Amino acid sequence: MDDSVFGAKNLIKDDRAIRRRVAGEAGDGLTAIAEFNRVKPDIVLMDITMPQMEGIEAVERIVRQHADARIVMVSSVGYQENILAALQKGAKHFVQKPVKPEVFV
């Protein structure tokens, strides 16, 4: 879930290299929650900075309803407080952009 079209397209393009299927996409936190509930994905790549609702709040809401959700924060904003907040709200890991496909293998 990435509000950056460029970032999302690059992750999707590179996703083919690790043989995974993109089940859904969202450009904001509210849509990310709706897509998670609709798709029930194995893993979510979530940006921190998104319109309408930040990724950290979306993570918290998803994990509150789905304790086993596996969410990896992916952001170019690698501030320590954002990373810690995301992990405290339920994200499993943080990866800084640009991301290489082998990170997810």
Side-chain angles (χ1 to χ4, degrees), residues 28-31 50-54 57:
D28 62 79
L30 291 173
T31 305
M50 295 194 297
Q52 295 185 36
M53 178 187 294
E54 295 286 348
E57 185 177 349

Side-chain angles (χ1 to χ4, degrees), residues 35 58 81-82:
E35 279 296 289
E81 60 271 9
N82 286 339

Side-chain angles (χ1 to χ4, degrees), residues 31-86:
T31 305
I33 294 168
E35 279 296 289
F36 187 94
N37 290 327
R38 182 182 73 80
V39 176
K40 306 283 191 295
D42 293 330
I43 191 166
V44 172
L45 306 178
M46 178 88 69
D47 200 344
I48 288 179
T49 305
M50 295 194 297
Q52 295 185 36
M53 178 187 294
E54 295 286 348
I56 294 171
E57 185 177 349
V59 167
E60 180 179 29
R61 290 188 186 193
I62 290 170
V63 170
R64 191 180 312 141
Q65 294 177 3
H66 308 276
D68 59 341
R70 293 184 292 177
I71 303 173
V72 176
M73 300 306 288
V74 181
S75 184
S76 59
V77 182
Y79 299 122
Q80 188 71 23
E81 60 271 9
N82 286 339
I83 297 168
L84 290 174

